[in-house]
Amino acid sequence: ELVSVDDIHQDAASEILEKMNLQPVVYSENPRERIVFINNQKFVEGQSIDGTVTVERIMPDGVVLTAQGERVTLRAEGAGRP
């Protein structure tokens, strides 16, 4: 059975992102003041996590990460819930 390169990248990206534990998000209208904590470490937009994942965008309720060409949104616990 043949497996496409895209499938390999998606599986690898999913495996990497499963290890990400999103903690508090500090959101500001000023992008320079946005901070997110992942796995007990502080990150800002554009910063790399372990050289494999990039913090693409910090939002009020979560963060957009990119890993091996795959974009994933992690939501803070309780985000979007009453």
Side-chain angles (χ1 to χ4, degrees):
E1 177 180 337
L2 293 177
V3 177
S4 78
V5 172
D6 289 339
D7 289 341
I8 292 170
H9 283 237
Q10 286 178 342
D11 290 346
S14 294
E15 186 176 313
I16 291 167
L17 293 169
E18 284 176 7
K19 298 176 184 176
M20 299 290 146
N21 179 23
L22 179 63
Q23 293 151 322
V25 174
V26 178
Y27 183 81
S28 169
E29 291 297 321
N30 182 347
R32 293 181 186 194
E33 296 176 359
R34 296 176 191 165
I35 300 168
V36 64
F37 288 85
I38 299 173
N39 297 347
N40 295 319
Q41 294 182 2
K42 180 176 84 169
F43 296 95
V44 296
E45 291 180 347
Q47 194 169 2
S48 176
I49 303 170
D50 295 334
T52 57
V53 178
T54 300
V55 176
E56 186 173 309
R57 183 173 44 148
I58 298 171
M59 305 173 299
D61 63 345
V63 63
V64 177
L65 302 174
T66 304
Q68 298 183 355
E70 296 296 318
R71 184 176 287 138
V72 175
T73 301
L74 295 180
R75 301 277 181 202
E77 279 196 37
R81 297 183 197 142

